[in-house]
Amino acid sequence: MNQADVSKLMSRLKIKYSPVKRKLKNSEGPVGRAKKIQKTLTALIKHERIELNFNRADETRGYVERLISDAIRYGDCHRATMELADYWLLEKQLVHKLFKVLVPRFENCPVSYTRMYRAPRPCPGNHFERAVLELRGNPYPSLLPDTISNRNLIHNVLLDEAHKEYRAQKYAEIARKLEAADENVAKSSGDSDGPESSGLETPEEIKASTEAQVASEVQPSACYEGHGRGGSEESRGGTAAGNPSERAGLPLGAILSRASKRRVSQHR
Amino acid sequence: MDMMNRRNHIDIPEFYVGSVLAVSSSNPHAPEKVTRFVGICIQRGGCGLRAFFIIRNVVDHQGVEMFYEMYSPVIQKIEVLRLEKRLDNELLYLRDALPEYSTFPLDMEPEYLPEGSAIPVNPIKVKLKPRPWLERWERQELKGVQDLGLPKRFYERAAAVAKPWEKYDLMAEYRESIPAEEQEEIFAEVYSQLHQLEVTRKIMKRKRTFVKPKKMG
């Protein structure tokens, strides 16, 4: 059987890679294959987004990830890593970029450092699949369509309606609880003037706890994006998450006041 | 699982290529049914229950190599007489080296290292016998041999045939190895048992050193 060669410690690749290496059709044999990958790798690190044939992109993706993960693991004071970077990057200023820009960028990145998309081919042309290979956190605008801001897309319409329904349910519950608490308070103040009986929540506590609960449940799930969406992430994050009540279409205060006007105005 | 079971019965110590070992294995034809062979480990390979190592020594001016499978039930004891590493991963060139580099006395005493010290690397440079050799040693990057002293055409041919790009082939390297995260997962499975074995081994060591004084006469 094959004994794994564990003399060198390397990080796990976070991408899918083929178990067989592609020869990347070239006339010089394995030397030519290495040269091709060198050129593609250098171009990717230089431009951060390149469009090329699928097989070449897939092959170099593994090499890019390995190079970056080695640079992160060993740093630039490690001779072997520096020799690797020197071999693979044909332009020597990119070695500086690798260690000074890309390593801090991807240090704490739990996902792959590169993204690969399938690209359309010009119709009367070769039958080779095209691909776009890019580094995460590149300064260009995202290639994927923006499915969050446009609330008229069907999935957003459905989600908004679902949110509204959910919030309506929750507010109905709050209203019921407030009315129940109202009655308790009325009863206890009728029986004895003093602190309210323990075990029953005050309307204020109910309001605060349920508001927090609803807000947290309606929050969209955080997905890792890094610096991906060209700087507009914070604003989009604000519009998406900050005003769930507006997305539901009803301000919180109006619903509560409808339920129990008397109690809310007293506490405000 | 089977490897752990075997290790529960026999202590297979840590050793590297270049360490001097003494292996006692059962032999039905020996007078005491046990054969003890001492030598330097020149190669380790295989995976799992097939893991093997090769030990070399020169006995009566005759080079002898013994092939042992680590988990074979035939092996009764493995002792490490000298724990050290060499500059190369495989010492197969000792077959073409002068016999003095492969001779080790059969009654060698074990040499102990202070606990917790790093494994010493022996920087010895071995002198090879004149050609013909079993392999083209000039084409392999051997660090543990002295200057081979061959005519220039050998080195030129070696350079022409060499594949320097293989050294930098990151994906080939990755496919052949096990990444660090997976190693940790695997190790976590066996760690507790291995730790217990180590503890019992230390206790056994201390137990053996105490020798009860015998009554004379």
Side-chain angles (χ1 to χ4, degrees):
Chain A
M1 282 304 283
N2 302 315
Q3 172 79 358
D5 180 20
V6 289
S7 46
K8 180 166 177 193
L9 210 58
M10 51 189 84
S11 310
R12 200 200 299 228
L13 280 179
K14 294 159 193 151
I15 55 166
K16 278 194 207 168
Y17 59 94
S18 82
V20 175
K21 68 175 174 189
R22 294 182 178 88
K23 288 185 195 172
L24 293 184
K25 218 170 182 176
N26 60 83
S27 47
E28 297 162 37
V31 189
R33 175 182 176 275
K35 279 193 195 160
K36 269 192 167 178
I37 298 176
Q38 268 178 331
K39 287 186 201 160
T40 325
L41 213 149
T42 315
L44 177 63
I45 304 269
K46 181 173 177 182
H47 301 284
E48 299 203 22
R49 180 189 281 174
I50 51 176
E51 180 184 345
L52 66 172
N53 287 340
F54 183 87
N55 282 332
R56 196 161 168 172
D58 198 45
E59 201 67 21
T60 64
R61 196 178 177 203
Y63 287 82
V64 175
E65 297 267 336
R66 274 279 285 124
L67 184 64
I68 297 178
S69 72
D70 267 5
I72 293 173
R73 184 177 267 271
Y74 294 108
D76 60 349
C77 290
H78 190 235
R79 180 172 281 267
T81 318
M82 191 50 94
E83 278 178 14
L84 269 177
D86 179 49
Y87 175 79
W88 285 112
L89 297 168
L90 300 169
E91 290 175 31
K92 300 312 158 188
Q93 45 193 339
L94 296 175
V95 176
H96 291 276
K97 180 177 175 183
L98 171 70
F99 287 110
K100 292 181 185 164
V101 174
L102 298 183
V103 164
R105 197 200 284 183
F106 294 124
E107 238 168 0
N108 302 320
C109 182
V111 281
S112 61
Y113 312 128
T114 55
R115 264 206 204 96
M116 197 160 85
Y117 305 104
R118 289 181 55 209
R121 304 180 270 119
C123 180
N126 299 323
H127 287 280
F128 304 125
E129 290 289 328
R130 298 285 285 175
V132 171
L133 195 52
E134 65 167 14
L135 292 177
R136 250 181 231 267
N138 65 68
Y140 310 114
S142 163
L143 284 172
L144 295 172
D146 178 15
T147 51
I148 296 185
S149 344
N150 185 0
R151 308 315 296 176
N152 288 327
L153 292 172
I154 183 65
H155 59 275
N156 285 333
V157 165
L158 295 171
L159 280 171
D160 289 345
E161 288 301 315
H163 280 132
K164 281 187 210 167
E165 227 182 273
Y166 182 77
R167 282 190 86 83
Q169 266 180 11
K170 281 285 166 177
Y171 293 154
E173 252 185 66
I174 298 170
R176 262 184 277 119
K177 278 193 191 167
L178 281 173
E179 280 173 8
D182 261 353
E183 286 169 18
N184 289 329
V185 167
K187 266 193 213 159
S188 63
S189 61
D191 295 342
S192 61
D193 288 327
E196 302 178 8
S197 46
S198 57
L200 297 165
E201 293 174 29
T202 54
E204 218 174 34
E205 283 165 23
I206 295 173
K207 187 173 108 182
S209 62
T210 45
E211 201 173 334
Q213 194 188 6
V214 170
S216 63
E217 279 168 352
V218 169
Q219 197 73 236
S221 58
C223 46
Y224 178 86
E225 195 38 51
H227 315 270
R229 297 285 173 100
S232 58
E233 191 197 305
E234 281 134 21
S235 56
R236 196 174 306 118
T239 48
N243 311 330
S245 58
E246 279 170 26
R247 265 204 279 134
L250 296 162
L252 181 59
I255 291 168
L256 288 176
S257 57
R258 239 187 274 146
S260 58
K261 275 184 197 164
R262 204 169 24 113
R263 194 45 49 183
V264 165
S265 56
Q266 272 185 23
H267 284 282
R268 290 242 178 95
Chain B
M1 241 18 264
D2 298 320
M3 291 188 271
M4 285 311 302
N5 286 337
R6 182 69 190 152
R7 278 186 186 250
N8 285 332
H9 294 291
I10 276 220
D11 169 37
I12 300 176
E14 169 200 13
F15 65 94
Y16 303 88
V17 169
S19 336
V20 181
L21 306 180
V23 178
S24 316
S25 67
S26 45
N27 185 351
H29 308 294
E32 282 149 10
K33 308 289 178 197
V34 173
T35 332
R36 186 171 188 263
F37 188 75
V38 173
I40 183 169
C41 175
I42 58 173
Q43 193 182 30
R44 272 186 82 165
C47 195
L49 286 174
R50 299 174 206 209
F52 69 85
F53 56 95
I54 303 182
I55 293 190
R56 179 182 168 82
N57 204 341
V58 174
V59 176
D60 277 346
H61 305 290
Q62 174 65 48
V64 177
E65 288 185 8
M66 294 283 277
F67 171 99
Y68 292 107
E69 287 191 345
M70 273 201 278
Y71 296 99
S72 160
V74 150
I75 292 181
Q76 292 182 3
K77 205 204 253 184
I78 304 178
E79 296 155 15
V80 172
L81 302 177
R82 192 192 297 163
L83 179 65
E84 66 175 13
K85 285 194 201 184
R86 290 278 188 105
L87 296 171
D88 294 309
N89 267 339
E90 288 187 343
L91 300 176
L92 298 169
Y93 53 78
L94 287 179
R95 293 169 183 160
D96 284 326
L98 298 173
E100 67 209 32
Y101 294 100
S102 311
T103 32
F104 297 90
L106 293 174
D107 51 0
M108 200 163 139
E109 291 293 326
E111 293 163 23
Y112 294 109
L113 293 166
E115 270 208 32
S117 58
I119 301 136
V121 178
N122 191 347
I124 190 170
K125 297 256 182 188
V126 165
K127 190 164 164 77
L128 298 185
K129 290 190 275 199
R131 275 180 63 245
W133 293 326
L134 289 164
E135 275 184 56
R136 296 184 217 253
W137 301 119
E138 75 275 6
R139 291 195 188 174
Q140 301 176 24
E141 289 168 17
L142 298 173
K143 292 174 218 148
V145 277
Q146 284 174 17
D147 181 37
L148 298 166
L150 294 169
K152 250 208 257 177
R153 58 192 168 93
F154 283 93
Y155 298 110
E156 281 161 15
R157 185 70 188 136
V161 161
K163 298 180 188 173
W165 59 87
E166 282 186 357
K167 195 171 29 151
Y168 302 111
D169 196 340
L170 295 166
M171 282 308 285
E173 204 178 30
Y174 184 82
R175 285 181 186 112
E176 285 187 0
S177 81
I178 304 177
E181 288 87 345
E182 271 178 55
Q183 281 189 29
E184 274 163 40
E185 281 170 18
I186 296 166
F187 199 63
E189 286 171 26
V190 272
Y191 176 70
S192 51
Q193 274 183 294
L194 280 177
H195 185 67
Q196 269 201 348
L197 274 181
E198 240 192 82
V199 165
T200 42
R201 194 190 299 163
K202 283 191 181 154
I203 297 170
M204 294 307 290
K205 249 194 200 169
R206 280 179 212 138
K207 269 193 181 166
R208 262 184 249 126
T209 49
F210 174 70
V211 180
K212 249 184 173 171
K214 278 193 182 153
K215 247 188 195 174
M216 300 296 291

